[in-house]
Amino acid sequence: MHCITQYVRSIYQQFVQRMAILDILEYPDPRLRTKAKPIATVTDRHRQLIDDMLETMYDAPGIGLAATQVNVHEQLIVIDVSEGRDTPLVFINPGISVLDDELRAYEEGCLSVPDYQDTVKRPAHVKVQALDRNGDPFEMQPDDLLAVCIQHEMDHLNGKLFVDYLSSLKRQRLRTKIAKRQRAG
């Protein structure tokens, strides 16, 4: 396993030289409400976007990033919930189905809503079908943090943010906090 981790890191380092840090849109930017379109064919442009999104996510730092958050409105998300931040996952045109109706509360944050976390209830066990970075289909049944992260990022592809799950009072407090921060510069 250690050799595989070193191999993945060496490949990742080769890509780092060509990657770029992208600007992340911040709430309440209306572009975050744009619904992403499916990707018909995975191209080198998409693979470069994936690499740039991973670099941006690691730099932020975060554990997930949807293309919508970097103002690209295509169905693409990247995630890495590993402790070593060395197990990136790519989901193109993801579809999801709930396997267990049990909802679990998780503390969520978002790179598009900096410095704010709150509790959101989501299904803890789901099935996801998607394409990988090469356009090959795959399926997985994540649970717990990975399941929550996938659902959170998929919400972005549908123009939804985790703050939409909060009460109107909490959303108003958040808008006030953001307005104060913007006035302070």
Side-chain angles (χ1 to χ4, degrees):
M1 185 65 166
H2 181 68
C3 292
I4 292 171
T5 301
Q6 286 179 327
Y7 175 72
V8 168
R9 284 185 189 188
S10 71
I11 289 175
Y12 174 75
Q13 290 302 319
Q14 293 172 19
F15 284 116
V16 166
Q17 297 171 9
R18 292 185 279 148
M19 291 192 257
I21 303 295
L22 305 171
D23 290 331
I24 298 173
L25 300 177
E26 291 187 8
Y27 176 80
D29 191 310
R31 294 173 291 180
L32 289 167
R33 300 300 184 176
T34 305
K35 289 194 177 194
K37 292 180 173 36
I39 295 172
T41 304
V42 179
T43 66
D44 287 341
R45 180 184 68 80
H46 294 106
R47 284 184 277 278
Q48 183 63 53
L49 176 60
I50 289 165
D51 294 338
D52 293 345
M53 287 175 61
L54 285 167
E55 182 70 6
T56 301
M57 179 187 73
Y58 290 132
D59 182 69
I63 60 171
L65 187 66
T68 300
Q69 292 176 273
V70 295
N71 202 29
V72 177
H73 303 287
E74 295 180 293
Q75 293 182 4
L76 168 60
I77 60 178
V78 297
I79 293 175
D80 189 345
V81 296
S82 68
E83 296 237 352
R85 299 174 59 81
D86 56 4
T87 313
L89 299 171
V90 175
F91 300 84
I92 298 170
N93 300 337
I96 195 165
S97 54
V98 175
L99 295 178
D100 184 348
D101 288 333
E102 175 191 356
L103 298 178
R104 290 200 191 145
Y106 287 90
E107 186 82 6
E108 292 190 28
C110 181
L111 296 177
S112 290
V113 189
D115 304 320
Y116 186 81
Q117 296 83 35
D118 212 319
T119 302
V120 176
K121 290 183 178 182
R122 297 186 187 266
H125 192 211
V126 297
K127 180 165 89 173
V128 179
Q129 303 89 20
L131 303 177
D132 66 14
R133 71 178 288 127
N134 297 313
D136 296 324
F138 71 95
E139 183 177 291
M140 65 185 325
Q141 293 185 14
D143 55 12
D144 298 320
L145 178 60
L146 181 55
V148 168
C149 190
I150 292 169
Q151 292 171 79
H152 175 108
E153 299 309 330
M154 286 182 67
D155 276 350
H156 281 296
L157 300 181
N158 291 310
K160 191 169 185 174
L161 296 159
F162 90 99
V163 296
D164 297 339
Y165 293 95
L166 305 179
S167 70
S168 58
L169 177 63
K170 285 185 177 184
R171 282 195 308 276
Q172 182 55 45
R173 286 182 182 163
L174 175 60
R175 282 192 288 272
T176 302
K177 179 181 176 180
I178 289 169
K180 283 182 184 177
R181 186 175 68 216
Q182 288 173 341
R183 283 193 302 271

